Amino acid sequence: MNSDQMKGKWKQMKGSVKERWGKLTDDDLAIIDGQQDQLIGTIQQRYGIAREAAQKQVDEWNAATRESEVEEHHDSRRRKAS
């Protein structure tokens, strides 16, 4: 998911972000506001990890999120076809 897509879906994604990175506060999420670089930097700061490690976590989370969206889309199409 690129930064524009993340920004557009931020309201929907905040719960997933909070679930994945529980140390992030509501204020952090408001500041991040769908900006991937801001998310990475805040994770780096809150968890005391290297930027590369934070980037890897966000990339893995993005991949899992995309996979989940694809599965939901396919399930929806199957239900409509029934």
Side-chain angles (χ1 to χ4, degrees), residues 33-66:
D33 193 31
Q35 300 172 74
Q36 187 165 332
D37 284 343
Q38 190 73 36
L39 174 61
I40 292 165
T42 305
I43 292 167
Q44 177 186 9
Q45 181 182 25
R46 289 281 180 248
Y47 287 87
I49 60 177
R51 184 162 185 86
E52 293 78 20
Q55 176 74 57
K56 183 178 179 193
Q57 288 182 16
V58 170
D59 289 346
E60 290 170 351
W61 173 78
N62 271 330
T65 300
R66 273 193 307 271

Side-chain angles (χ1 to χ4, degrees), residues 65-78:
T65 300
R66 273 193 307 271
E67 186 176 300
S68 176
E69 287 176 350
V70 168
E71 287 174 10
E72 287 175 15
H73 177 73
H74 287 300
D75 288 345
S76 172
R77 293 185 78 188
R78 279 188 218 121

Side-chain angles (χ1 to χ4, degrees), residues 2-8 10 29-36:
N2 68 36
S3 292
D4 289 337
Q5 291 170 320
M6 183 180 229
K7 180 99 172 146
W10 184 242
L29 296 176
I31 292 167
I32 292 165
D33 193 31
Q35 300 172 74
Q36 187 165 332

